[in-house]
Amino acid sequence: MKKIGILTSGGDCSGMNAAIRSATRTALGHGVQVVGFRKGYAGLLKGDLLEMTTRDVAGILHRGGTFLQSARSEEFRTVLGREKAVRHLQDLGVEGLVVIGGDGSLNGALALHRMGVPVMGIPASIDNDIAFTDMALGVDTALNNIIYAVDCIKDTASSHDRAFVIEVMGRNSGYLASMSAIATGAEYAIIPEVECDIADLCNQLRQRYEEGRSNAIIILAEGAGRAQNIADNIKDAIGFETRVTVLGHYQRGGAPSVFDRLLGSRFGHAAVEQLLAGEKGKMVGLCCGEICCTALETVVVSEKTQQDQLHDLSMILGI
Ligand code: F6P
């Protein structure tokens, strides 16, 4: 292989830059040229790219987001769009592609693989909803962001005898909510994977209020409902005054944690080594601390299943 491409696609996350830098430097170290496509598949379709040298990826490791930028491309979802992408890769002489992104992006990578493009995927999504990796890139940084915010909110909640419903991201996954509930000692986590019993929630909060506790924190995964609706449903039954905080995109940014810097560096290196060794149509992942590699067609049809266990733990510890 003489030239490879790299792109970041879908929702950005911290650690993507570490993966880009590592993949680029690994390839260059093998004498392989690297092009970076801007704004994910959209850049691939437009031919919006940059030739990457080792200096281009200097000074990005500690920065959140992705310096290649990211996007969700409607055109790439179409057969015509994908055929165009394959043609562009051929015209550019790009013989392999590293796709850094979440489940939609990995589905796109699988489509390209099926059209004959050697592709390696790197799981990157704060939702941590991608199977065959214990952690996706960006999850650890997002959790650190969330717990910082929740700790701050607890301070003001306790000054005012208030209950807060704090909405976190995660799309259909409750991972961020369950883990942040455990890590902040929240009273309750509401996640899409487990039906929420509002009466039970109100009883627990009411009891807490009557015991004279100074605050209550409920972490709500966005896929399980809207924070304002939950707050409206419980406010008359729990004693505490209620307030709502939606953490939003704050969760996705910021300097990557050590964990995400190391994970991105390991993933980027492994993806390129695998590609150059002739592997294709696979995703690198983290399995029990080691780098693993799984066929994309297996990854995209598999569900990550640990959320309800984490939820149970968060409920036990929050009481
Ligand atoms: O998939 C990552 C994610 O941050 C989800 O948690 C969230 O629902 C979504 O992306 C937000 O997407 P956008 O940045 O397009 O608003």
Side-chain angles (χ1 to χ4, degrees):
M1 230 172 243
K2 292 199 171 59
K3 195 194 271 188
I4 64 163
I6 301 177
L7 58 84
T8 49
S9 162
D12 70 339
C13 64
S14 296
M16 282 180 157
N17 281 328
I20 297 168
R21 172 180 178 269
S22 170
T24 301
R25 290 192 171 171
T26 301
L28 294 173
H30 282 282
V32 174
Q33 280 179 278
V34 182
V35 293
F37 293 101
R38 292 194 186 87
K39 300 195 176 172
Y41 293 116
L44 175 51
L45 290 173
K46 278 195 197 144
D48 184 4
L49 57 88
L50 92 148
E51 303 268 347
M52 305 230 280
T53 66
T54 195
R55 288 190 63 183
D56 289 314
V57 293
I60 62 169
L61 179 64
H62 62 292
R63 285 170 42 201
T66 159
F67 98 108
L68 284 176
Q69 297 192 279
S70 191
R72 297 186 172 101
S73 165
E74 282 308 317
E75 188 184 357
F76 185 73
R77 289 177 201 271
T78 66
V79 176
L80 283 181
R82 285 173 176 169
E83 285 171 353
K84 188 166 153 191
V86 174
R87 269 199 314 279
H88 279 185
L89 289 169
Q90 285 165 350
D91 293 348
L92 290 163
V94 173
E95 298 167 280
L97 186 66
V98 175
V99 172
I100 306 169
D103 51 357
S105 311
L106 297 172
N107 264 296
L110 176 59
L112 290 177
H113 164 67
R114 287 184 171 145
M115 294 165 85
V117 179
V119 180
M120 286 298 297
I122 293 181
S125 166
I126 65 165
D127 304 340
N128 210 24
D129 56 352
I130 302 164
F132 295 97
T133 186
D134 297 340
M135 290 289 270
L137 269 183
V139 178
D140 185 66
T141 305
L143 280 172
N144 279 294
N145 289 342
I146 294 169
I147 65 162
Y148 178 79
V150 174
D151 288 349
C152 291
I153 290 167
K154 271 183 110 156
D155 290 344
T156 172
S158 66
S159 304
H160 291 272
D161 274 351
R162 283 176 175 161
F164 271 78
V165 182
I166 303 174
E167 185 181 310
V168 299
M169 279 187 169
R171 212 178 278 274
N172 299 318
S173 160
Y175 186 85
L176 289 176
S178 298
M179 293 298 274
S180 57
I182 294 168
T184 57
E187 278 56 57
Y188 218 92
I190 304 176
I191 64 169
E193 293 85 347
V194 178
E195 201 178 335
C196 172
D197 182 341
I198 289 283
D200 173 59
L201 167 61
C202 289
N203 285 340
Q204 284 195 37
L205 296 180
R206 179 92 219 169
Q207 193 182 342
R208 191 174 165 81
Y209 179 74
E210 282 165 1
E211 283 167 1
R213 311 283 280 276
S214 64
N215 67 80
I217 300 290
I218 301 127
I219 310 244
L220 168 72
E222 64 178 355
R226 293 272 75 93
Q228 192 59 57
N229 294 345
I230 302 286
D232 290 344
N233 283 338
I234 64 175
K235 69 176 192 299
D236 295 329
I238 60 171
F240 292 106
E241 216 185 336
T242 56
R243 289 287 187 273
V244 162
T245 303
V246 178
L247 293 182
H249 288 81
Y250 153 82
Q251 296 161 86
R252 253 179 28 198
S257 64
V258 173
F259 183 88
D260 277 325
R261 294 179 197 204
L262 294 176
L263 191 64
S265 301
R266 291 176 79 189
F267 278 171
H269 173 74
V272 170
E273 288 292 346
Q274 295 282 334
L275 203 53
L276 299 184
E279 291 290 354
K280 48 193 167 184
K282 295 192 170 174
M283 181 194 82
V284 295
L286 186 72
C287 303
C288 303
E290 301 295 328
I291 296 293
C292 51
C293 214
T294 309
L296 281 168
E297 55 197 1
T298 309
V299 171
V300 301
V301 296
S302 305
E303 259 184 58
K304 223 175 161 78
T305 49
Q306 74 220 4
Q307 271 82 332
D308 33 357
Q309 291 161 20
L310 291 167
H311 176 263
D312 290 349
L313 178 59
S314 73
M315 300 308 276
I316 292 163
L317 298 180
I319 294 165

